[in-house]
Amino acid sequence: MWLINSSIGRKFVMSITGMALVLFLLFHLCMNVTAVFSADAYNAICALLGANWYAVAATVGLAALIALHFFYAVMLTLQNRKARGSSKYAVGARAEGVTWASQNMFVIGAIIICFFLLHLSQFWYRMMFAELTGHEEVTLCNGVTAHTAEGIKFIEYYFSHLWVVIAYLLWYVALWFHLTHGVWSAIQTLGFNNELWLKRWKTTAYVVATIVFLGFAFVTLFFYIKSLCNGNC
């Protein structure tokens, strides 16, 4: 099957899954920014996206997209290393137009996956998964409990810890590097690769990456500073 056996097919799957994940990131960003302006609105969204069949189906679909994207990234990385052969050990100057991010996409992606697992353990596992297993309340700290749909309490709790904030900021930096190359590369693979539009897509990639980075960082730092003012646990 050409989607697996050919380089073009693998890049096509990487591009489609990658763009779908970018759309999810933008949706997730809008959702998180809502928490800054209205706790009730954010909790309403969390309740809507709780253990409902459509939310569970979307979660399974998202997991499949991430798994496919990472699987094909491994395949392409191994293919490229095999093609380079012994030349992969050569040390030289970076070619003109080749960015650091493009040369380290797999490593950056692996870092993103690791921090994604942390995010799952802190939010999805204690919210949707807890609700699926029949637990409507979970303990956060010092006996303080939260309903699985009270997403604002989870944000306020986790982003009141400095180590969590630092870890998430590092995650956002990795995301920024990944998106600055991944967005325009995916669009190019899908056929929009003439010289004029390629420059525009590269600019678009930096804009999207920066919006994602600044948006998530803003939410994280907002709740950390808020916790310092309120003295949360």
Side-chain angles (χ1 to χ4, degrees), residues 6-221:
S6 73
S7 176
I8 295 176
R10 293 170 184 173
K11 290 180 179 179
F12 178 79
V13 174
M14 279 281 291
S15 300
I16 292 295
T17 55
M19 294 306 294
L21 292 172
V22 170
L23 292 176
F24 168 75
L25 275 176
L26 293 174
F27 163 76
H28 199 359
L29 174 60
C30 293
M31 177 179 169
N32 283 17
V33 169
T34 300
V36 173
F37 299 100
S38 175
D40 290 338
Y42 182 74
N43 283 340
I45 296 173
C46 290
L48 182 66
L49 300 178
N52 304 298
W53 69 267
Y54 49 83
V56 173
T59 301
V60 172
L62 176 63
L65 284 173
I66 294 172
L68 275 173
H69 195 71
F70 188 73
F71 174 72
Y72 275 84
V74 172
M75 292 181 66
L76 284 170
T77 300
L78 293 176
Q79 172 187 305
N80 292 337
R81 288 186 177 181
K82 183 178 180 180
R84 288 198 303 267
S86 59
S87 64
K88 66 183 178 182
Y89 300 106
V91 178
R94 187 185 307 151
E96 183 180 356
V98 177
T99 64
W100 179 86
S102 66
Q103 290 185 318
N104 296 277
M105 285 293 281
F106 183 78
V107 174
I108 296 171
I111 293 173
I112 292 172
I113 290 292
C114 289
F115 278 104
F116 179 70
L117 295 176
L118 170 66
H119 182 65
L120 284 180
S121 68
Q122 292 177 332
F123 290 90
W124 178 83
Y125 178 76
R126 305 192 74 185
M127 295 176 71
M128 179 182 285
F129 184 78
E131 189 175 347
L132 286 171
T133 54
H135 299 84
E136 294 188 354
E137 287 193 347
V138 295
T139 301
L140 294 179
C141 64
N142 299 334
V144 177
T145 61
H147 191 279
T148 53
E150 290 181 297
I152 196 68
K153 285 191 176 182
F154 289 87
I155 286 184
E156 290 175 341
Y157 170 66
Y158 284 115
F159 290 161
S160 68
H161 295 77
L162 182 59
W163 76 268
V164 175
V165 171
I166 293 174
Y168 273 76
L169 290 176
L170 290 174
W171 185 24
Y172 305 150
V173 170
L175 269 176
W176 186 86
F177 279 109
H178 200 71
L179 292 175
T180 55
H181 175 75
V183 171
W184 71 260
S185 180
I187 296 174
Q188 181 186 40
T189 299
L190 295 175
F192 301 93
N193 55 0
N194 65 71
E195 184 176 350
L196 174 62
W197 276 99
L198 184 57
K199 292 179 180 179
R200 295 175 179 177
W201 292 132
K202 285 185 176 182
T203 300
T204 300
Y206 276 93
V207 171
V208 171
T210 302
I211 289 174
V212 169
F213 170 77
L214 292 179
F216 280 117
F218 166 69
V219 174
T220 301
L221 292 173

